[in-house]
């Protein structure tokens, strides 16, 4: 009897043999997937860069609105400050650095990134970063160069990290069809929320999120020291990366506790974290005052527990409970910290008791959603953190990813309208819908249909989702066409906030429940085998 040779898997092709897929899927995706994962990734990457370039041709935050403009001017101003002042003065209020005018309020790695990009701007367009005189600079060349800095950051940091994740993730899966892999890549690289915020509104979230994705991929390939270095860099770029901290901490601790020498394992990771932070923060470690000065810029407690109309617990419930009037800022800091820890705790406990790669990915989603819902001073853009985690789990929760994408986009709808990004918002929503329903998702939906059905069996769940959807459609039209009453000028924003929060809280309950059931499912599968 002739033995069949097992299929070979190279670093370039981590997918299952073509014969495992349906005919329709092969015919539709053959042109993209027949040469392997890396080739598929490069093709989708080029398309993703094209979409980003198209969005970058639209307005940005604060375009032409003096005196402070918006996030675009903030990023440009940081380039101005870092290229003209000594490192020690970047966070210090003074004659040449007025902190009330877009003072640096992110960790040092963001400052270094601003310096690097500022050097590029100074070479090609010196007046765009000239000290004082460049405030509000909006020349065509200056804007073009600024947009290119974001595109290059995406191409050199976020995209390679995404490729690293995809190769590791699908190598570890029992079977990954080529169409599934291509669809998964598209879900990560064509993340509509990230594209709209970074290339429309204007920010550099792709850097911190890229470092985070790299750290996640390092976890999946069991490179814990690399994980600590990359995640420490992400934290040193944007403090919002702390949204993922409970998941990283609990998963790594759970694995260390199962080692032969757990104390040594923990110490090794601790040294990696400390060394990375010391290198990044070195200019500000010579003086306690300098170190505390930078830290004080990273925690804007004076702004209050929330701003604008963000779809989290504090802002939504403030309609009934006037948190800012009833409690002092220190009290609200304590309350929000306690609520965030409690919301993160179930996910953390599960990973400490039973660490696994899939559980870790759910942990990232649950901890980032807990921070978004309950932490202090959350912005609409913070939904990028849990949404990134959801795209990494796209093949596990395809049905829920569809709903989450819709509500994540809708939660930012008023912000994007203010930035005059309505057309990119609608276009990217349509593009996501088309890609989501492409053949690569067919298998994922079939695999998860049973779990989705169990959730749908809860009384009124499907009716609630459908009602939500129709109400949001009406709200889109109402927001664009009807003036709110003078007595309640932000009533439409409040309604959007309530609808999105109600979905986010349901989604958080579902994903926490799913994470806790992973170990029981694994036990059942072992018994079945």
């Amino acid at each position: 009897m002739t033995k069949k040779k097992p299929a070979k898997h190279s670093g370039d092709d981590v997918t299952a043999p073509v014969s495992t897929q349906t005919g329709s899927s092969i015919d539709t995706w053959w042109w993209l997937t027949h040469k392997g994962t890396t080739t598929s990734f490069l093709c989708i990457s080029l398309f993703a860069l094209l979409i980003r370039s198209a969005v970058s041709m639209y307005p940005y935050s604060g375009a032409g609105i003096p005196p402070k403009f918006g996030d675009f001017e903030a990023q440009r101003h940081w380039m101005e400050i870092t290229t003209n002042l000594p490192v020690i003065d970047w966070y210090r209020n003074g004659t040449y650095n007025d902190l009330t005018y877009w003072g640096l309020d992110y960790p040092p790695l963001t400052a270094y990134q601003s310096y690097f990009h500022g050097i590029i701007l100074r070479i090609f367009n010196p007046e765009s970063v000239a000290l004082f005189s460049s405030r509000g600079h909006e020349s065509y060349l200056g804007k073009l160069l600024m947009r290119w800095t974001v595109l290059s950051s995406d191409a050199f940091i976020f995209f390679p990290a995404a490729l690293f994740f995809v190769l590791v993730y699908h190598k570890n899966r029992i079977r990954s069809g080529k169409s599934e892999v291509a669809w998964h890549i598209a879900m990560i690289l064509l993340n509509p929320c990230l594209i709209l915020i970074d290339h429309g509104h204007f920010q550099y979230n792709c850097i911190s999120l890229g470092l985070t994705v790299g750290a996640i991929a390092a976890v999946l390939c069991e490179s814990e020291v690399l994980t600590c270095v990359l995640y420490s860099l992400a934290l040193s770029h944007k403090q919002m990366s702390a949204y993922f901290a409970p998941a990283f901490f609990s998963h790594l601790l759970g694995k260390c506790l199962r080692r032969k020498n757990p104390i040594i394992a923990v110490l090794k990771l601790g040294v990696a974290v400390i060394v990375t932070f010391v290198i990044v923060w070195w200019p500000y470690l010579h003086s306690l005052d300098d170190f505390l000065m930078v830290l004080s810029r990273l925690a804007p407690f004076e702004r209050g527990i929330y701003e604008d109309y963000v779809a989290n617990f504090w802002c939504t419930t403030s309609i009934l409970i006037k948190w800012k009037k009833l409690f002092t800022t220190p009290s609200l800091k304590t309350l929000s910290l306690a609520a965030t820890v409690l919301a993160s705790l179930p996910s953390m406990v599960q990973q400490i008791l039973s660490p696994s790669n899939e559980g870790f990915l759910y942990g990232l989603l649950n901890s980032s959603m807990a921070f978004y819902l309950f932490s202090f001073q959350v912005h609409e853009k913070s939904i990028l953190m849990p949404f990134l985690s959801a795209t990494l789990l796209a093949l596990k929760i395809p049905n829920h990813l569809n709903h989450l994408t819709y509500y994540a986009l809708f939660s930012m709808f008023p912000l994007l309208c203010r930035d005059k990004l309505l057309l990119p918002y609608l276009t990217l929503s349509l593009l996501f819908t088309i890609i989501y329903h492409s053949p690569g998702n067919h298998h994922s939906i079939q695999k998860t249909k049973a779990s989705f059905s169990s959730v749908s069996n809860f009384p009124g769940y499907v009716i609630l989702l459908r009602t939500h959807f129709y109400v949001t459609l009406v709200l889109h039209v109402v927001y664009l066409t009807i003036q709110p009453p003078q007595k309640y000028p932000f009533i439409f924003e409040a309604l959007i906030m309530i609808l999105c929060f109600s979905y986010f809280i349901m989604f958080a309950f579902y994903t926490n429940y799913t994470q806790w059931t992973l170990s029981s499912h694994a036990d059942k599968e072992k018994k079945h085998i």
Side-chain angles (χ1 to χ4, degrees):
M1 188 174 178
T2 307
K3 291 184 179 179
K4 290 184 180 180
K5 293 182 179 180
K8 293 181 180 179
H9 296 270
S10 67
D12 187 12
D13 192 356
V14 295
T15 57
V18 175
S19 60
T20 62
Q21 302 175 64
T22 62
S24 62
S25 190
I26 295 170
D27 294 337
T28 306
W29 287 85
W30 177 86
W31 62 275
L32 183 63
T33 62
H34 74 289
K35 287 195 174 180
T37 300
T38 305
T39 305
S40 299
F41 188 91
L42 289 173
C43 292
I44 297 169
S45 295
L46 289 173
F47 180 67
L49 285 173
L50 178 64
I51 295 297
R52 283 161 166 78
S53 301
V55 171
S56 68
M57 291 190 288
Y58 284 84
Y60 46 81
S61 170
I65 307 174
K68 293 191 72 173
F69 301 90
D71 277 4
F72 178 91
E73 170 62 10
Q75 301 288 345
R76 189 216 57 78
H77 179 63
W78 297 344
M79 297 177 197
E80 170 197 341
I81 292 299
T82 54
T83 52
N84 287 285
L85 298 180
V87 176
I88 201 66
D89 291 332
W90 289 354
Y91 292 90
R92 181 176 290 155
N93 194 44
T95 306
Y96 300 106
N97 186 16
D98 180 6
L99 293 181
T100 62
Y101 185 81
W102 297 120
L104 258 168
D105 53 5
Y106 285 111
L109 197 57
T110 287
Y112 304 149
Q113 165 238 309
S114 297
Y115 174 78
F116 175 74
H117 289 151
I119 293 296
I120 296 172
L121 263 69
R122 191 162 66 182
I123 292 170
F124 295 101
N125 190 28
E127 58 270 24
S128 66
V129 289
L131 194 62
F132 286 132
S133 62
S134 63
R135 284 194 178 185
H137 185 89
E138 292 184 300
S139 70
Y140 175 78
L141 180 57
K143 289 187 285 187
L144 185 65
L145 289 169
M146 290 282 285
R147 290 297 197 185
W148 273 107
T149 60
V150 186
L151 276 170
S152 60
S153 299
D154 241 333
F156 292 119
I157 297 177
F158 185 77
F159 282 36
L163 176 60
F164 181 22
F165 172 82
V166 167
L167 291 174
V168 174
Y169 179 80
H170 288 281
K171 186 178 180 180
N172 292 337
R173 292 188 86 208
I174 296 172
R175 178 183 294 176
S176 289
K178 290 184 177 181
S179 294
E180 282 187 330
V181 177
W183 181 82
H184 196 189
I185 293 168
M187 288 293 101
I188 297 170
L189 295 188
L190 291 165
N191 177 332
C193 297
L194 180 59
I195 294 172
L196 285 167
I197 292 301
D198 275 14
H199 301 276
H201 180 85
F202 200 92
Q203 284 195 342
Y204 292 92
N205 294 288
C206 55
I207 296 177
S208 57
L209 293 181
L211 292 168
T212 302
V213 171
I216 295 166
V219 168
L220 300 188
C221 66
E222 299 184 354
S223 300
E224 282 94 359
V225 173
L226 179 60
T227 296
C228 291
V229 171
L230 290 174
Y231 183 59
S232 297
L233 289 173
L235 279 169
S236 295
H237 186 263
K238 280 203 170 185
Q239 57 268 44
M240 279 80 75
S241 299
Y243 281 35
F244 303 111
F248 277 101
F249 173 79
S250 58
H251 179 77
L252 292 175
L253 179 61
K255 290 177 78 172
C256 286
L257 292 176
R258 282 155 181 77
R259 298 280 163 81
K260 192 174 182 180
N261 295 304
I263 295 176
I264 293 175
V266 170
L267 287 175
K268 183 174 71 172
L269 300 186
V271 169
V273 171
I274 291 169
V275 169
T276 306
F277 273 105
V278 167
I279 292 171
V280 175
W281 287 71
W282 182 249
Y284 307 100
L285 297 179
H286 301 291
S287 162
L288 180 61
D289 289 339
D290 290 337
F291 178 66
L292 294 176
M293 172 187 67
V294 177
L295 283 184
S296 67
R297 296 294 304 157
L298 308 185
F301 293 121
E302 70 280 356
R303 296 182 190 174
I305 195 164
Y306 59 83
E307 283 185 285
D308 296 325
Y309 282 82
V310 60
N312 76 344
F313 173 80
W314 306 109
C315 196
T316 305
T317 56
S318 67
I319 295 171
L320 300 175
I321 305 170
K322 304 304 176 185
W323 299 103
K324 292 181 179 181
K325 291 182 180 179
L326 292 173
F327 298 93
T328 62
T329 298
S331 299
L332 288 174
K333 284 194 288 185
T334 304
L335 276 173
S336 63
L337 176 62
T340 306
V341 170
L342 286 172
S344 305
L345 202 56
S347 176
M348 293 178 67
V349 170
Q350 193 275 334
Q351 275 304 281
I352 293 171
L353 295 177
S354 182
S356 66
N357 286 346
E358 188 175 346
F360 170 60
L361 293 177
Y362 273 101
L364 291 164
L365 178 53
N366 289 324
S367 69
S368 56
M369 186 60 84
F371 269 76
Y372 176 82
L373 291 173
F374 298 106
S375 64
F376 199 96
Q377 187 48 231
V378 173
H379 196 279
E380 298 104 310
K381 299 186 285 284
S382 301
I383 194 62
L384 291 175
M385 310 299 167
F387 188 71
L388 172 74
S389 308
T391 61
L392 302 182
L393 275 168
L395 291 168
K396 293 292 181 181
I397 54 168
N399 294 294
H400 295 283
L401 178 66
N402 185 27
H403 302 138
L404 180 65
T405 304
Y406 182 78
Y407 284 100
L409 281 168
F410 190 45
S411 70
M412 299 190 298
F413 180 62
L415 171 70
L416 297 171
C417 283
R418 288 198 299 272
D419 292 341
K420 299 177 182 176
L421 293 170
L422 177 62
L423 186 56
Y425 170 88
L426 295 174
T427 306
L428 284 176
S429 299
L430 178 62
L431 177 64
F432 171 82
T433 302
I434 292 170
I435 295 172
Y436 174 81
H437 290 288
S438 60
N441 190 24
H442 172 74
H443 304 289
S444 302
I445 290 177
Q446 293 301 316
K447 290 173 187 174
T448 57
K449 193 172 275 186
S451 64
F452 183 72
S453 298
S454 63
V455 177
S456 312
N457 288 334
F458 287 121
Y461 180 80
V462 175
I463 296 172
L464 181 61
L465 274 183
R466 287 177 181 170
T467 305
H468 256 220
F469 177 73
Y470 293 131
V471 172
T472 56
L473 286 180
V474 172
L475 263 178
H476 275 94
V477 176
V478 168
Y479 187 87
L480 294 171
T481 58
I482 299 175
Q483 284 289 330
Q486 290 185 352
K487 190 176 180 182
Y488 303 106
F490 300 107
I491 189 169
F492 299 145
E493 285 88 345
L495 290 172
I496 291 170
M497 171 188 70
I498 292 167
L499 283 170
C500 293
F501 170 74
S502 60
Y503 174 76
F504 293 152
I505 203 75
M506 285 192 298
F507 179 74
F509 274 115
Y510 167 76
T511 52
N512 272 278
Y513 169 78
T514 303
Q515 184 182 343
W516 267 95
T517 58
L518 289 176
S519 53
S520 61
H521 286 321
D523 292 339
K524 286 180 183 177
E525 286 178 9
K526 287 177 183 177
K527 288 177 183 178
H528 182 70
I529 292 169

